[in-house]
Amino acid sequence: QPLVSLPTSIDVESAVSNCDPEQAVTFRSDFQRFTMDLSEGVRSLSGGIDLPSPEPSDIDARTLQPADAAREHPELIEQYEQLLEAWCTQIEKYLEETLENQQKDSGDH
């Protein structure tokens, strides 16, 4: 079931009434896919992925060259590695859940 409800002003059947049957089937299918994609977009915007920001630090890494930051502040490298790992885990989980939802919605199991 899509999260996005179609406005009542869009009448798909009226839109395809003058098309040949093959075009009508294609339009309905594409339109349904579009609404599902739009629903996924809304789902991700409304609570899909919430990636944490780096912890505040006394060191402004933006003002340092990467090699200097790594040499002078090795703890930053570890913090950013952990942050990147957390981001990857969250993104993978989100993508897996999205794929599962799409398979459920399309009837594939």
Side-chain angles (χ1 to χ4, degrees):
Q1 179 72 9
L3 288 175
V4 177
S5 58
L6 299 176
T8 55
S9 62
I10 297 177
D11 183 1
V12 175
E13 294 309 314
S14 295
V16 298
S17 64
N18 294 328
C19 298
D20 69 58
E22 187 177 325
Q23 287 177 324
V25 168
T26 301
F27 180 82
R28 283 186 202 101
S29 174
D30 290 348
F31 194 76
Q32 182 179 16
R33 189 175 312 112
F34 170 76
T35 58
M36 294 304 292
D37 290 346
L38 190 57
S39 294
E40 280 301 317
V42 169
R43 184 177 292 134
S44 70
L45 289 173
S46 66
I49 300 177
D50 183 21
L51 300 176
S53 297
E55 292 294 323
S57 172
D58 293 336
I59 304 157
D60 187 359
R62 297 171 298 176
T63 62
L64 300 171
Q65 293 296 320
D68 294 337
R71 185 176 38 260
E72 296 172 20
H73 306 284
E75 69 281 4
L76 285 179
I77 302 302
E78 184 177 339
Q79 288 174 3
Y80 281 97
E81 284 177 348
Q82 291 172 355
L83 182 63
L84 181 59
E85 188 174 313
W87 286 359
C88 289
T89 301
Q90 284 185 278
I91 292 168
E92 287 172 358
K93 181 180 176 186
Y94 174 77
L95 292 175
E96 288 171 5
E97 289 172 356
T98 299
L99 180 61
E100 288 172 7
N101 288 336
Q102 288 175 342
Q103 288 173 341
K104 288 177 188 174
D105 290 342
S106 68
D108 298 341
H109 297 297

